Amino acid sequence: MPGISLPHVAMVLGAMFLIVAGDTAGKTMTGQGMNPFFVAWGRFALAALMLAPLAGLRREDLPAFLDWRLLLRTLFIVAGICAILTALRTEPIANVFGAFFISPVVSYFGSAAVLKERITVARSVLLLIGFAGVLLVVRPGFGMTPGMGFALFAGSCHGAYLVTTRWLAGAYRPRLLLLSQLATGGLVLTPFALLHWPAEVSQGFAWAFPLSAFGSAMGNYLLVIASRTLPAGIVAPLVYAQIVAAMILGLVVFGDWPDSMALAGLAVILASGVAGLRLAGRGG
């Protein structure tokens, strides 16, 4: 595909699978009674501890942790993860990621508004077709559940997070960007974690807890690296790879499969993402 760095495309695809794997582990824990805020805290705090020795943190980096732009970026990802874990508590993982796919729409148009990235009629139409698929999954006004509302909110937060990631990708080292969101997110969520600390850990906690942290941290790290090279117009359609991962892991781990209308919506979303990637590869 001319104009696209294939290694960076592979990074985004790997990031999407890792993020879904982390959310699958999170759903395992919330489905067994753990509070989403506690699970989210563990994801940030444990990942921060894992990354800190490898981040190459220097004294001159410390003021960055108080940069309002980094704090805003962290706010978006903290809110998004708490919301998606809340949604996963009651909803099938593929449906949640279907609703979550308002994220590329927010990212694409947000990048155009904030970063002045180029938009085209063709890309805009494809993203809006994808959004129509989101509506088939969510079904607003036709039995939409609170869980799907949380999934939509999570996707909106993630789209804003992608915009701020692209905005700051050239200003800070990727490891510093990631460590800032993990450390600050863990600190912000600590009071909520203490409030909802489980009396006993759930079955599978020993593997689900670190997988949730590792999948999210490594996925977002790869996304930061790729965002330094790939514009949001290319990253946005690649994010749709999460649907495939969510359907596979949802079936294998939980035995969930979308109903016919949700499946149709997921197919529309995925088709629009593939078409958007092909269009981006041609420079359209």
Side-chain angles (χ1 to χ4, degrees):
M1 288 178 284
I4 295 182
S5 167
L6 292 181
H8 288 92
V9 169
M11 281 186 188
V12 177
L13 294 177
M16 296 306 101
F17 184 84
L18 285 167
I19 290 170
V20 175
D23 286 328
T24 301
K27 179 175 173 62
T28 299
M29 290 184 285
T30 59
Q32 294 177 352
M34 288 193 169
N35 187 275
F37 284 96
F38 172 77
V39 175
W41 167 80
R43 174 176 292 189
F44 281 94
L46 181 57
L49 291 174
M50 292 164 57
L51 178 67
L54 307 174
L57 192 65
R58 302 184 296 262
R59 178 175 297 180
E60 54 267 32
D61 292 328
L62 297 180
F65 286 79
L66 297 178
D67 186 330
W68 70 269
R69 299 171 300 170
L70 291 183
L71 294 175
L72 178 64
R73 177 175 175 271
T74 297
L75 175 64
F76 285 137
I77 194 62
V78 168
I81 286 180
C82 289
I84 200 169
L85 287 170
T86 302
L88 287 168
R89 197 174 194 175
T90 58
E91 305 296 333
I93 189 169
N95 288 16
V96 167
F97 274 94
F100 183 82
F101 275 96
I102 194 173
S103 170
V105 179
V106 174
S107 171
Y108 180 69
F109 291 108
S111 293
V114 177
L115 306 180
K116 309 305 180 186
E117 292 193 353
R118 186 172 68 96
I119 64 173
T120 66
V121 173
R123 287 186 187 178
S124 300
V125 168
L126 285 172
L127 280 171
L128 292 176
I129 290 173
F131 181 66
V134 170
L135 295 180
L136 284 175
V137 176
V138 175
R139 283 168 273 193
F142 298 92
M144 177 178 169
T145 63
M148 298 308 288
F150 278 110
L152 280 175
F153 179 70
S156 299
C157 289
H158 189 260
Y161 167 78
L162 290 177
V163 175
T164 53
T165 295
R166 177 67 179 165
W167 179 30
L168 295 170
Y172 292 103
R173 294 179 290 110
R175 284 180 293 175
L176 179 58
L177 277 176
L178 181 57
L179 182 61
S180 72
Q181 78 182 47
L182 294 174
T184 305
L187 183 63
V188 168
L189 288 169
T190 295
F192 299 96
L194 293 174
L195 184 63
H196 298 288
W197 200 273
E200 58 181 9
V201 297
S202 61
Q203 183 181 7
F205 177 81
W207 66 264
F209 198 69
L211 177 58
S212 177
F214 176 80
S216 180
M218 184 56 67
N220 282 294
Y221 177 63
L222 292 176
L223 193 59
V224 168
I225 294 176
S227 293
R228 294 166 69 93
T229 299
L230 299 177
I234 293 177
V235 173
L238 286 172
V239 172
Y240 288 106
Q242 285 181 325
I243 288 182
V244 177
M247 291 177 66
I248 293 171
L249 291 176
L251 179 62
V252 172
V253 179
F254 305 109
D256 290 334
W257 189 251
D259 61 27
S260 57
M261 185 173 292
L263 194 60
L266 293 172
V268 170
I269 295 168
L270 187 58
S272 71
V274 171
L277 182 59
R278 290 176 62 85
L279 183 67
R282 295 197 300 268

